[in-house]
Amino acid sequence: EVQLVESGGGLVQPGGSLRLSCTASGFTFSSHWMHWVRQAPGKGLVWVSRVNGDGSDTTYADSVKGRFTISRDNAKNTLYLQMNSLRAEDTAVYYCARAVYDKGVHVVDYWGQGTLVTVSS
Amino acid sequence: QTVVTQEPSFSVSPGGTVTLTCGLSSGSVSTSYYPSWYQQTPGQAPRTLIYNTNTRSSGVPDRFSGTILGNKAALTITGAQADDECDYYCVLYMGSGTWVFGGGTKVTVL
């Protein structure tokens, strides 16, 4: 059974940093690209970032580019999101999601339960 | 910046059929945007329903189907049930490894 468990969320002050983790099990982690998606309270889903299987290729939404870094440790079956220079508008539940390769693109098929990040003084 | 558009809300009768759409503020949605659809109950993680326009995710019943209708991606729910009442999101691939979600559609079954 595919499982994705996020951790590392919490309360942080504006300008601070936080690192989220997502521990994967039930599948060959290194074979799958991974995404981070966030959802502010009462709002819709927003794509944040994705990384390829070996961690060599990453992309970001404009809203987080230069502040967030996605990475992975395939030996530990763990995905990370390093978040720096946090702003109030980064407050959200952060979901990690597994991608499956289908017809030329890596699309999300499984989601974790999410971890809440609150940026406030 | 391109915006992905969805109807804010939709109502459907139990047993009825509803079609949700996913468009672009500028241009047409085609299969090249690899549209996907997700279902989310409040307080829960999203669940993948459809990816790559019309591929049903594992365990998703066949009353959920995806297609391109005109210049938009579409998700059709046939035989609506009470537990279909939740939020539905589409996402489009914008190229260069980036994706954009629509604002979501709240479906009410009544």
Side-chain angles (χ1 to χ4, degrees), chain A residues 1-52:
Chain A
E1 178 192 4
V2 173
Q3 286 199 321
L4 300 168
V5 180
E6 300 93 336
S7 60
L11 176 64
V12 60
Q13 292 189 339
S17 297
L18 210 57
R19 188 178 82 158
L20 306 183
S21 300
C22 170
T23 302
S25 60
F27 65 99
T28 304
F29 181 65
S30 60
S31 297
H32 290 263
W33 294 24
M34 298 293 293
H35 296 255
W36 285 101
V37 176
R38 69 184 182 183
Q39 186 171 36
K43 302 296 185 182
L45 300 173
V46 175
W47 177 81
V48 172
S49 181
R50 71 97 174 123
V51 62
N52 69 345

Side-chain angles (χ1 to χ4, degrees), chain A residues 35 37 39 43-47 50 59-62 95 100 102-114, chain B residues 1 34 36 38 40 43-48 51-52 54-55 57-58 89 91 93 96-103:
Chain A
H35 296 255
V37 176
Q39 186 171 36
K43 302 296 185 182
L45 300 173
V46 175
W47 177 81
R50 71 97 174 123
T59 54
Y60 300 90
D62 287 344
Y95 296 101
V100 63
D102 185 75
K103 299 174 199 156
V105 72
H106 297 260
V107 292
V108 167
D109 62 346
Y110 281 95
W111 299 72
Q113 287 302 305
Chain B
Q1 183 177 343
Y34 304 96
S36 297
Y38 307 96
Q40 187 182 36
Q44 301 295 315
R47 169 198 182 197
T48 301
Y51 55 84
N52 274 347
N54 54 17
T55 301
S57 189
S58 176
Y89 294 91
V91 72
Y93 181 63
S96 302
T98 64
W99 299 78
V100 176
F101 280 90

Side-chain angles (χ1 to χ4, degrees), chain B residues 42-99:
Chain B
Q44 301 295 315
R47 169 198 182 197
T48 301
L49 294 176
I50 301 285
Y51 55 84
N52 274 347
T53 304
N54 54 17
T55 301
R56 219 171 282 113
S57 189
S58 176
V60 174
D62 60 7
R63 57 196 188 80
F64 292 93
S65 62
T67 190
I68 300 292
L69 273 181
N71 62 350
K72 297 181 179 182
L75 172 72
T76 297
I77 308 171
T78 58
Q81 302 177 359
D83 58 5
D84 296 333
E85 182 166 299
C86 56
D87 298 323
Y88 294 82
Y89 294 91
C90 70
V91 72
L92 300 178
Y93 181 63
M94 296 302 185
S96 302
T98 64
W99 299 78

Side-chain angles (χ1 to χ4, degrees), chain A residues 72-84:
Chain A
R72 62 193 299 161
D73 185 335
N74 287 341
K76 295 182 178 179
N77 286 349
T78 302
L79 173 73
Y80 302 102
L81 185 68
Q82 177 67 43
M83 303 185 295
N84 298 330

